[in-house]
């Protein structure tokens, strides 16, 4: 089956860039509006008109630059801050001295904060502190003295930009942590799925070769011994597992922390639900009795196969631990919201604490081949065993496991 790479974007940073884009346009219009209402008070209005022409052209032309972190380069940030600082320094040239000393607005007005916020979102609080410091120096030069309103505006811009920069850094760190956690979870689920398949096939074959070799003797005994060693090694590997390194990266095109994973091409299951009875029928035999409803028991293909595999694992445990002469019964119940399959045997039962001990030794038949399969489908598996009275395994799977099963198989 063909593989393709699926990218999962997890960015709380992107909305900030969209907000910054809108902020720059609105504050540009605000600055032009302030000039339009007081242009008669300017001593050199043509200087202001020229600056606003540059400001409007620059703001509109650079909107794509503030769309994401990748496009907002250091060169652009430097040029953007230069436009803001130049406007502040040109204010005494264009406006009347009395208005400047009275605390009148600078030519770029609050548009300047947008340039500082771009530094904060792109580089964090340190970049924001640098940009706000340069703006503060320009404002002091423009006024000629540290007036109260100037200091107030400078401190406000500095605190706001540094706070936003710090929040962005924390958000980025959180995204990377979340992506790593999702990667580990996906790797763990894949390891458990492989462990179930290995238990249902390879480990059983190796165990059988070991037992038959010991019975036959000779060279077969040596072959059985080697198979037993490989079984132990494989069980250790399956129970321990290896978690791959995270492939977390930064999506340069979107400015978002992403997690790239290999994903199977989605192919629809052929046909609709299938009858669970058809998958359980091959298990019936001289030592296994199957009791089922007279009507079909429809389940999604993935769910039906997983339930049948879990039943097979339960029967394999019966043969292995209760002996070849043990009898087993399979009961299928079709309830309105779920399907219940019960596997019962007349063996000696399981001693208390044996399942926990088996999991610790890497014998994952019940833990993964049975409970793991049902858990992935949104169902459950309960095991009841009384020494001397056999063992009963009850499997419950919801009928809406169609989409759940597909999701877990990916």
């Amino acid at each position: 089956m063909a593989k393709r790479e699926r990218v999962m974007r997890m960015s709380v940073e992107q909305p900030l860039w969209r907000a910054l884009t809108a902020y720059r346009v609105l504050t540009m219009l605000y600055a032009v509006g302030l000039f339009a209402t007081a242009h008669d008070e300017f001593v050199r209005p043509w200087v202001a008109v020229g600056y606003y022409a540059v400001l409007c052209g620059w703001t509109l032309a650079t909107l794509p630059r503030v769309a994401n972190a990748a496009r907002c380069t250091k060169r652009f940030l430097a040029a953007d801050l230069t436009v803001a600082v130049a406007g502040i320094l040109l204010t005494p040239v264009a406006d009347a001295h009395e208005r400047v000393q009275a605390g009148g607005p600078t030519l770029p007005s609050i548009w300047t904060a947008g340039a500082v916020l771009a530094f904060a979102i792109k580089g964090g609080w340190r970049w924001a502190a640098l940009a706000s410091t340069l703006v503060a120096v320009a404002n002091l030069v423009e006024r000629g003295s540290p007036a109260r309103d100037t200091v107030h505006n400078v401190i406000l811009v500095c605190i706001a930009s540094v706070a936003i920069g710090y929040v962005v850094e924390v958000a980025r760190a959180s995204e990377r942590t979340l992506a790593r956690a999702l990667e580990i979870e996906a790797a763990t689920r894949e390891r458990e799925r492989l462990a179930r398949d290995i238990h249902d096939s390879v480990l059983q074959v190796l165990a059988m070769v070991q037992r038959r070799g010991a019975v036959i003797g000779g060279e077969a005994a040596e072959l059985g011994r080697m198979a037993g060693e490989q079984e132990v090694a494989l069980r250790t590997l399956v129970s321990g597992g290896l978690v791959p390194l995270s492939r977390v990266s930064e999506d340069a095109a979107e400015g978002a922390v992403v997690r790239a994973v290999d994903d199977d091409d989605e192919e629809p299951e052929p046909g609709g639900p299938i009858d669970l009875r058809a998958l359980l029928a091959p298990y019936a035999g001289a030592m296994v009795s199957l009791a089922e409803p007279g009507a079909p028991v429809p389940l999604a293909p993935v769910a039906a196969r997983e339930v049948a595999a879990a039943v097979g694992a339960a029967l394999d445990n019966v043969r292995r631990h209760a002996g070849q002469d043990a009898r087993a019964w399979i009961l299928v119940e079709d309830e309105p919201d779920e399907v219940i399959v019960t596997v019962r045997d007349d063996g000696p039962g399981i001693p208390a604490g044996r399942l926990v001990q088996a999991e610790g030794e890497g014998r994952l038949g019940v833990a993964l081949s049975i409970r793991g399969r049902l858990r992935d489908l949104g169902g459950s598996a309960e095991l009841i065993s009384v020494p001397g009275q056999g063992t009963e395994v009850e499997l419950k799977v919801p009928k809406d496991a169609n989409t759940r099963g597909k999701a877990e198989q990916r």
Side-chain angles (χ1 to χ4, degrees):
M1 184 178 294
K3 291 275 188 179
R4 64 182 175 85
E5 191 172 77
R6 176 166 53 90
V7 178
M8 297 176 58
R9 290 182 175 83
M10 299 169 289
S11 176
V12 298
E13 176 185 337
Q14 198 59 34
L16 295 177
W17 289 109
R18 289 195 290 266
L20 178 61
T21 301
Y23 178 87
R24 288 168 64 88
V25 174
L26 293 176
T27 53
M28 174 200 72
L29 297 176
Y30 177 76
V32 173
L34 282 180
F35 168 72
T37 59
H39 69 282
D40 293 337
E41 302 179 31
F42 280 69
V43 294
R44 297 181 182 86
W46 56 270
V47 175
V49 171
Y51 175 77
Y52 285 122
V54 173
L55 181 66
C56 292
W58 173 260
T59 301
L60 297 177
T62 58
L63 288 181
R65 289 285 190 173
V66 290
N68 52 59
R71 296 183 180 180
C72 186
T73 61
K74 294 181 180 179
R75 182 177 299 179
F76 162 75
L77 289 174
D80 198 51
L81 188 62
T82 300
V83 172
V85 171
I88 295 174
L89 298 178
L90 281 176
T91 301
V93 179
D95 205 352
H97 179 72
E98 294 77 12
R99 279 172 46 85
V100 172
Q101 293 302 314
T106 60
L107 292 181
S109 184
I110 58 176
W111 185 92
T112 305
V116 178
L117 292 177
F119 273 82
I121 300 175
K122 172 68 176 181
W125 69 269
R126 294 176 180 83
W127 288 28
L130 173 62
S132 59
T133 300
L134 295 177
V135 170
V137 172
N139 275 279
L140 292 175
V141 172
E142 182 255 345
R143 288 295 296 273
S145 62
R148 178 182 299 177
D149 55 346
T150 301
V151 174
H152 175 271
N153 292 335
V154 167
I155 292 178
L156 182 61
V157 171
C158 181
I159 293 177
S161 59
V162 169
I164 292 177
Y166 178 75
V167 169
V168 169
E169 290 185 357
V170 173
R172 286 173 179 162
S174 300
E175 287 171 344
R176 289 185 172 88
T177 302
L178 175 61
R180 174 60 175 163
L182 292 175
E183 188 75 14
I184 293 175
E185 180 185 5
T188 301
R189 286 188 174 275
E190 179 65 12
R191 175 172 60 83
E192 290 183 355
R193 185 187 66 82
L194 293 175
R196 290 196 299 264
D197 294 341
I198 291 174
H199 178 273
D200 291 346
S201 56
V202 181
L203 292 180
Q204 294 178 11
V205 172
L206 290 175
M208 183 185 67
V209 171
Q210 180 186 19
R211 292 195 301 269
R212 295 295 296 168
V215 173
I216 296 175
E219 294 184 358
E222 177 64 17
L223 179 61
R225 185 189 64 79
M226 296 174 61
E229 293 177 354
Q230 294 300 314
E231 180 193 7
V232 172
L234 188 55
R235 287 187 186 278
T236 302
L237 177 61
V238 169
S239 61
L242 296 175
V243 178
L245 293 177
S246 175
R247 297 174 56 196
V248 177
S249 62
E250 183 171 337
D251 184 357
E254 299 294 339
V257 175
V258 302
R259 177 168 64 90
V261 297
D262 289 335
D263 187 23
D264 292 340
D265 288 338
E266 296 183 10
E267 296 183 359
E269 291 282 353
I274 60 177
D275 188 357
L276 178 63
R277 302 180 305 169
L279 299 181
L280 298 181
Y283 293 126
M287 306 303 295
V288 179
S289 300
L290 174 62
E292 58 189 16
V297 182
L299 273 181
V302 172
R305 286 195 295 267
E306 290 294 283
V307 172
V311 171
L315 293 176
D316 179 71
N317 286 336
V318 173
R319 289 189 293 269
R320 176 178 299 179
H321 302 294
Q324 297 293 332
D325 297 331
R327 292 190 57 83
W329 293 265
I330 303 174
L331 173 63
V332 181
E333 301 174 81
D334 188 7
E335 301 293 338
D337 298 326
E338 62 182 0
V339 174
I340 303 175
V341 180
T342 304
V343 180
R344 183 171 59 86
D345 65 71
D346 61 355
I350 302 176
R354 176 55 185 154
L355 289 180
V356 177
Q357 179 184 356
E359 290 186 25
E361 295 173 353
R363 301 180 180 274
L364 307 177
V366 174
L368 293 181
S369 288
I370 299 179
R371 287 177 179 160
R373 293 183 187 276
L374 272 296
R375 181 196 62 208
D376 289 347
L377 295 173
S380 63
E382 296 183 7
L383 188 145
I384 303 173
S385 182
V386 178
Q389 299 182 22
T391 302
E392 180 178 303
V393 179
E394 185 180 70
L395 312 175
K396 295 182 179 180
V397 58
K399 290 188 175 180
D400 63 350
N402 189 359
T403 55
R404 296 187 188 182
K406 289 183 179 181
E408 297 297 343
Q409 290 293 321
R410 293 172 182 171

Short mmCIF file of all heavy atoms in Angstrom, two decimals, residues 24-25 28 55-64:
data_model
loop_
_atom_site.label_atom_id
_atom_site.label_comp_id
_atom_site.label_asym_id
_atom_site.label_seq_id
_atom_site.Cartn_x
_atom_site.Cartn_y
_atom_site.Cartn_z
N ARG A 24 -2.32 46.54 11.48
CA ARG A 24 -1.51 47.46 10.68
C ARG A 24 -2.39 48.28 9.73
O ARG A 24 -2.17 49.48 9.55
CB ARG A 24 -0.46 46.67 9.90
CG ARG A 24 0.65 46.13 10.78
CD ARG A 24 1.50 45.11 10.03
NE ARG A 24 2.19 45.70 8.91
CZ ARG A 24 3.39 46.29 8.96
NH1 ARG A 24 4.03 46.36 10.14
NH2 ARG A 24 3.97 46.78 7.90
N VAL A 25 -3.37 47.62 9.12
CA VAL A 25 -4.25 48.34 8.19
C VAL A 25 -5.10 49.36 8.94
O VAL A 25 -5.23 50.53 8.52
CB VAL A 25 -5.13 47.35 7.41
CG1 VAL A 25 -6.16 48.10 6.55
CG2 VAL A 25 -4.27 46.44 6.54
N MET A 28 -3.03 52.28 10.22
CA MET A 28 -2.64 53.15 9.11
C MET A 28 -3.77 54.12 8.79
O MET A 28 -3.54 55.35 8.63
CB MET A 28 -2.31 52.30 7.88
CG MET A 28 -2.02 53.10 6.61
SD MET A 28 -2.21 52.09 5.12
CE MET A 28 -3.99 51.91 5.06
N LEU A 55 3.85 55.54 3.92
CA LEU A 55 3.31 54.64 4.94
C LEU A 55 2.20 53.76 4.38
O LEU A 55 2.17 52.54 4.61
CB LEU A 55 2.79 55.45 6.12
CG LEU A 55 2.20 54.64 7.29
CD1 LEU A 55 3.30 53.82 7.96
CD2 LEU A 55 1.51 55.55 8.30
N CYS A 56 1.28 54.37 3.62
CA CYS A 56 0.17 53.58 3.06
C CYS A 56 0.68 52.57 2.04
O CYS A 56 0.26 51.40 2.04
CB CYS A 56 -0.85 54.52 2.41
SG CYS A 56 -1.73 55.57 3.58
N GLY A 57 1.57 52.99 1.17
CA GLY A 57 2.11 52.06 0.18
C GLY A 57 2.87 50.92 0.83
O GLY A 57 2.74 49.76 0.44
N TRP A 58 3.68 51.26 1.83
CA TRP A 58 4.46 50.23 2.54
C TRP A 58 3.54 49.25 3.27
O TRP A 58 3.74 48.03 3.22
CB TRP A 58 5.41 50.91 3.52
CG TRP A 58 6.14 49.94 4.42
CD1 TRP A 58 5.83 49.64 5.71
CD2 TRP A 58 7.28 49.16 4.09
NE1 TRP A 58 6.71 48.71 6.21
CE2 TRP A 58 7.62 48.40 5.24
CE3 TRP A 58 8.06 49.03 2.93
CZ2 TRP A 58 8.70 47.54 5.26
CZ3 TRP A 58 9.14 48.16 2.97
CH2 TRP A 58 9.45 47.42 4.11
N THR A 59 2.55 49.75 3.97
CA THR A 59 1.65 48.88 4.74
C THR A 59 0.90 47.91 3.83
O THR A 59 0.84 46.71 4.11
CB THR A 59 0.64 49.72 5.54
OG1 THR A 59 1.35 50.60 6.42
CG2 THR A 59 -0.28 48.83 6.35
N LEU A 60 0.33 48.42 2.75
CA LEU A 60 -0.45 47.56 1.85
C LEU A 60 0.44 46.59 1.08
O LEU A 60 0.06 45.43 0.85
CB LEU A 60 -1.26 48.41 0.89
CG LEU A 60 -2.31 49.33 1.55
CD1 LEU A 60 -3.01 50.18 0.50
CD2 LEU A 60 -3.32 48.52 2.34
N ALA A 61 1.62 47.04 0.69
CA ALA A 61 2.50 46.18 -0.10
C ALA A 61 3.11 45.06 0.73
O ALA A 61 3.48 44.00 0.19
CB ALA A 61 3.60 47.01 -0.75
N THR A 62 3.24 45.28 2.03
CA THR A 62 3.92 44.29 2.88
C THR A 62 2.94 43.44 3.69
O THR A 62 3.37 42.74 4.62
CB THR A 62 4.88 45.00 3.85
OG1 THR A 62 4.16 45.95 4.64
CG2 THR A 62 5.99 45.70 3.09
N LEU A 63 1.66 43.48 3.37
CA LEU A 63 0.71 42.62 4.09
C LEU A 63 1.08 41.14 4.01
O LEU A 63 0.97 40.42 5.01
CB LEU A 63 -0.71 42.85 3.56
CG LEU A 63 -1.36 44.19 3.93
CD1 LEU A 63 -2.77 44.27 3.35
CD2 LEU A 63 -1.40 44.37 5.45
N PRO A 64 1.53 40.63 2.84
CA PRO A 64 1.94 39.21 2.81
C PRO A 64 3.13 38.92 3.74
O PRO A 64 3.31 37.78 4.16
CB PRO A 64 2.32 38.98 1.34
CG PRO A 64 1.55 40.03 0.59
CD PRO A 64 1.54 41.22 1.49
#
